[in-house]
Amino acid sequence: MKEELKRIREYLMTGVSYMIPIVVIGGVLIAFSIALSGVQAGKGAVVTNPVLKSMMDIGTASFSMMVPVLAGFIAFGIADRPGLAPGLVGGVLANQLKAGFLGGIIAGFIAGYVARWIKSWRVPKNLRPIMPIFVIPLLSALIVGFLMIYILGNPISSAMTAMTNWLKSMSTGNAVILAMIMGAMIAFDMGGPVNKVAFLFAAAMIGEGVYTIMGPVAVAICIPPLGMGVATLLAPNKYTKAEKEAGYGALAMGMIGITEGAIPFAAADPLRVIPSIMVGSSIGAAIAAIGKVGDHAPHGGPIVLPVVDNKIMFIVAVLIGIAVTALMVNALKKPVIEEVEDESEVAE
């Protein structure tokens, strides 16, 4: 069991290692285009300069590849080359179904294990040359595609509608409890469907003249990447070289309100990272609600400070959320030992 769990982590890390440059390209280019354009009250990030607009388009295109690359290379890690194409297909479908990076991870594992299973089939000798380039990718893509469309599609859509209705019912109750729930939702899948439900609900409230729902959400948005970036600086021995490099990108993305900067960490170690960022974002959002922080722009992170009500409490909430996330995740994580294991294997 322990060996199988170790292999699953290796498959995840394969996907994450190929995904990190995609996240960096997308996050940094979008961040720069927004930072150089600014945020307008009631409109959020408005990029009108043609060069900056092109920069944002390139970053958006990169982000659109993030989930497919993650899924594709998880499948590649499991089944080698025949798993890559069906994994990419599964990742694209996860995007289309708005299943986020968690859906991409599921698609990658399904594609990889299905492709590996088909590779194990005993086939006539004359069919073997076409198995890795035709039969395995085709059958694997069909299986993962049908599973994503017919098994995951409707439940995801129904769950999103139910969550939106639930938040509407909660908005008439305790503002702090609502903020904690929305903060946890924002951090849960970092730009995925659960995140989008909370964000779009808060953005809709701006149109109603209610800014104190978007305020806590704006705080929660930046805590996952900033918290994970700070965590890598506080305990570098608990992160791989790739994760430490991703930490710098996460810090930059967090400043501009790009929650996806935390995805590489969550994908590599979901059981420790996701609870940590959810707790940090939830506490940060609650503090913002207590401080009656309002945000007039449908966006988050320190970049929206010019259009935030009660700026001091916004900063306090963000800093406390970062501290909670960084300290919690580092308390849960163990020092990275892969390099030591590699050296022992060489010695043997």
Side-chain angles (χ1 to χ4, degrees):
M1 183 64 182
K2 189 175 180 181
E3 282 298 313
E4 185 59 30
L5 288 174
K6 184 179 177 182
R7 281 195 291 269
I8 288 173
R9 174 172 164 73
E10 288 172 356
Y11 302 148
L12 268 174
M13 288 306 300
T14 300
V16 169
S17 65
Y18 284 99
M19 180 188 69
I20 285 174
I22 302 293
V23 175
V24 171
I25 292 169
V28 170
L29 289 182
I30 291 173
F32 274 126
S33 64
I34 292 172
L36 296 174
S37 298
V39 175
Q40 296 181 15
K43 295 182 180 179
V46 179
V47 182
T48 55
N49 180 283
V51 175
L52 296 179
K53 180 68 169 60
S54 297
M55 187 184 293
M56 175 170 266
D57 290 342
I58 295 168
T60 302
S62 179
F63 259 163
S64 72
M65 296 167 57
M66 179 177 65
V67 173
V69 167
L70 174 63
F73 282 96
I74 287 174
F76 175 83
I78 297 169
D80 206 13
R81 189 163 59 94
L84 180 59
L88 291 169
V89 170
V92 170
L93 288 171
N95 267 348
Q96 292 177 352
L97 294 168
K98 303 190 184 306
F101 91 98
L102 293 173
I105 290 174
I106 293 169
F109 276 104
I110 292 173
Y113 282 116
V114 168
R116 193 165 76 179
W117 170 60
I118 297 174
K119 278 176 68 176
S120 69
W121 291 359
R122 293 183 178 180
V123 297
K125 187 177 291 187
N126 58 339
L127 285 179
R128 289 177 191 169
I130 66 169
M131 287 293 289
I133 61 172
F134 183 79
V135 177
I136 298 173
L138 180 62
L139 292 180
S140 301
L142 281 172
I143 292 171
V144 71
F146 280 128
L147 287 173
M148 293 295 291
I149 292 169
Y150 293 108
I151 303 298
L152 293 177
N154 287 333
I156 290 171
S157 176
S158 300
M160 297 309 105
T161 302
M163 274 192 279
T164 301
N165 294 334
W166 178 53
L167 287 177
K168 286 179 181 177
S169 68
M170 288 288 298
S171 62
T172 58
N174 189 303
V176 175
I177 294 175
L178 177 64
M180 291 181 73
I181 292 169
M182 295 186 71
M185 290 173 66
I186 287 292
F188 174 68
D189 56 359
M190 295 148 282
V194 176
N195 169 290
K196 286 294 186 288
V197 167
F199 175 80
L200 292 174
F201 176 74
M205 290 297 100
I206 293 176
E208 302 293 325
V210 179
Y211 308 113
T212 50
I213 293 179
M214 191 69 218
V217 167
V219 168
I221 282 171
C222 65
I223 286 172
L226 291 175
M228 293 310 303
V230 170
T232 63
L233 298 177
L234 293 177
N237 64 316
K238 295 188 176 184
Y239 299 89
T240 65
K241 183 179 178 182
E243 287 175 323
K244 284 183 277 193
E245 291 172 354
Y248 295 110
L251 289 170
M253 285 183 253
M255 294 298 292
I256 317 295
I258 306 293
T259 317
E260 288 86 345
I263 286 179
F265 303 97
D269 192 1
L271 296 180
R272 294 183 179 89
V273 172
I274 292 178
S276 301
I277 61 177
M278 287 178 68
V279 171
S281 288
S282 184
I283 290 174
I287 293 169
I290 292 169
K292 297 191 180 341
V293 173
D295 180 10
H296 294 252
H299 199 69
I303 191 175
V304 301
L305 265 175
V307 293
V308 164
D309 299 327
N310 205 342
K311 295 177 176 57
I312 298 298
M313 282 305 296
F314 178 93
I315 295 170
V316 169
V318 169
L319 291 176
I320 292 175
I322 291 170
V324 170
T325 291
L327 294 174
M328 181 174 171
V329 74
N330 284 346
L332 293 173
K333 275 183 167 290
K334 296 178 181 178
V336 174
I337 59 173
E338 284 83 356
E339 294 177 0
V340 175
E341 288 179 351
D342 290 343
E343 289 173 5
S344 64
E345 287 171 5
V346 171
E348 291 174 1

